[in-house]
């Protein structure tokens, strides 16, 4: 394990020439550099964010959904059946005609009755519009708040206006409190999303989103340990700039404000295209000069 760790954190790969991890471990008095141990503080913060989310969805998003007359749909529940439940959970949620005929004979049910049971069982697992509204309102609120914080912080930072500053005197770049809070809060939020996936109703994209959150947590963590916080903060802000608009469009869709939904989605698409396909690659190229 030690050999694998030494191979992965090879200084020749991660750090400039003639710089070692030991150089960053013992900074001058009054100077602070990022350390791997700092990342541990994101875990209790993630639990705190998860608790805030529960409170927010119940006491803020829920009443907002009621005001907008978004009610909890009452889907018809499938009658308990051990045989069909076992097939549903371990084999298939949408059996083909061969499976349907076999189950029909085994249970002495009509094929259409078996089909109806599976349809009700699938609908039973689908989150209601009210649940999706509350989840989107929470993500919208967080993305908007963290984007505002990021813009306010970066507005006063030299590297926002000159991306070459991201690499000036790297890796001897001092860790400021504002940058620390920005990074750890973003990291904690994505940890909380990973936690909540196992408590929320499982959806078709469960595995895809889990991999996405895992990749995001890994990228934020690695960039923190390597003191690439300046360029990392720009990347996070660029991504946050469009995320809250997508959630706003979802909220409008759940509330059945279709014109507002369409407008917000168009704005989201324009900002997404501009930030991720123009600004992001341009800044990366400019920063490498």
């Amino acid at each position: 394990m030690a050999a694998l760790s030494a191979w992965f954190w090879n200084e020749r790969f991660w750090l400039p020439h003639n710089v070692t991890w030991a150089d960053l471990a013992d900074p001058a008095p009054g100077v602070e550099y990022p350390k791997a141990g700092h990342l541990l503080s994101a875990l209790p913060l993630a639990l705190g964010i998860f608790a805030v989310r529960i409170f927010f969805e119940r006491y803020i998003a829920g009443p907002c959904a009621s005001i907008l007359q978004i009610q909890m749909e009452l889907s018809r529940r499938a009658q308990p059946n051990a045989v069909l439940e076992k097939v549903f959970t371990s084999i298939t949620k949408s059996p083909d005609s061969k499976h349907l005929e076999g189950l029909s004979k085994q249970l002495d049910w009509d094929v259409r009755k078996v089909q109806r049971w599976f349809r009700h069982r699938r609908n039973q697992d689908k989150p209601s519009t009210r649940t999706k509204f509350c989840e989107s309102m929470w993500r919208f609120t967080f993305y908007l708040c963290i984007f505002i914080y990021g813009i306010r912080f970066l507005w006063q930072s030299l590297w926002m206006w000159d991306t070459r500053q991201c690499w000036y005197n790297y890796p001897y770049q001092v860790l400021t409190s504002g940058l620390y809070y920005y990074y750890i809060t973003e990291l904690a939020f994505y940890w909380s999303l990973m936690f909540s996936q196992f408590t929320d109703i499982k959806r078709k994209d469960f595995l895809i989103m889990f991999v996405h959150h895992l990749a995001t947590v890994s990228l934020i963590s690695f960039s923190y340990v390597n003191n690439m916080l300046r360029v990392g903060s720009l990347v996070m802000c660029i991504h946050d700039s469009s995320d809250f608009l997508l959630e706003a469009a979802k909220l409008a869709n759940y509330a059945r404000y279709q014109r507002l939904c369409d407008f917000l989605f168009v704005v989201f698409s324009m900002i997404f295209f501009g930030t991720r396909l123009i600004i992001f690659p341009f800044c990366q190229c400019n920063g490498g000069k």
Side-chain angles (χ1 to χ4, degrees), residues 136 140 243-253 260-261 264:
S136 287
F140 165 79
D243 286 343
F244 72 91
L245 289 168
L246 177 60
E247 298 302 331
K250 291 180 181 179
L251 292 174
N253 180 54
L260 178 60
C261 173
L264 289 171

Side-chain angles (χ1 to χ4, degrees), residues 28-196:
V31 175
E32 181 73 16
Y33 294 139
K35 295 182 177 63
H38 294 168
L39 300 176
L40 296 176
S41 60
L43 297 177
L45 181 58
L47 294 176
I49 291 176
F50 184 61
V52 171
R53 173 197 164 179
I54 295 174
F55 176 88
F56 180 91
E57 290 185 1
R58 180 172 300 179
Y59 296 106
I60 298 178
C64 288
S66 298
I67 292 172
L68 294 170
Q69 298 182 344
I70 303 175
Q71 303 300 326
M72 187 78 73
E73 298 98 338
L74 297 176
S75 59
R76 184 173 178 180
R77 301 185 67 84
Q79 68 182 84
N81 187 290
V83 174
L84 296 181
E85 185 67 28
K86 184 176 181 180
V87 173
F88 183 86
T89 55
S90 59
I91 300 177
T92 178
K93 293 178 172 59
S94 301
D96 55 22
S97 57
K98 184 177 180 180
H99 278 99
L100 288 172
E101 291 177 2
L103 292 169
S104 173
K105 294 177 180 178
Q106 182 178 352
L107 298 172
D108 196 22
W109 282 14
D110 184 77
V111 172
R112 296 191 63 180
K113 185 177 180 179
V114 178
Q115 286 180 317
R116 195 180 307 117
W117 188 95
F118 276 94
R119 184 174 67 253
H120 291 162
R121 185 64 181 83
R122 287 193 299 269
N123 292 336
Q124 184 177 313
D125 281 352
K126 289 182 179 179
S128 66
T129 302
R130 185 185 179 94
T131 299
K132 291 187 288 187
F133 176 89
C134 292
E135 290 180 1
S136 287
M137 189 171 179
W138 162 246
R139 288 194 296 268
F140 165 79
T141 303
F142 178 86
Y143 287 138
L144 179 60
C145 291
I146 200 67
F147 174 67
I148 293 173
Y149 176 86
I151 283 292
R152 289 189 61 185
F153 170 75
L154 291 171
W155 200 266
Q156 307 170 39
S157 304
L158 294 176
W159 59 88
M160 181 173 183
W161 312 106
D162 181 8
T163 54
R164 289 173 296 185
Q165 292 290 330
C166 291
W167 309 110
Y168 177 74
N169 199 33
Y170 175 81
Y172 301 108
Q173 296 172 345
V174 178
L175 174 66
T176 64
S177 58
L179 197 50
Y180 169 80
Y181 292 135
Y182 188 26
Y183 242 78
I184 294 301
T185 302
E186 287 268 18
L187 179 60
F189 176 71
Y190 283 101
W191 271 120
S192 73
L193 290 182
M194 290 184 66
F195 298 156
S196 63

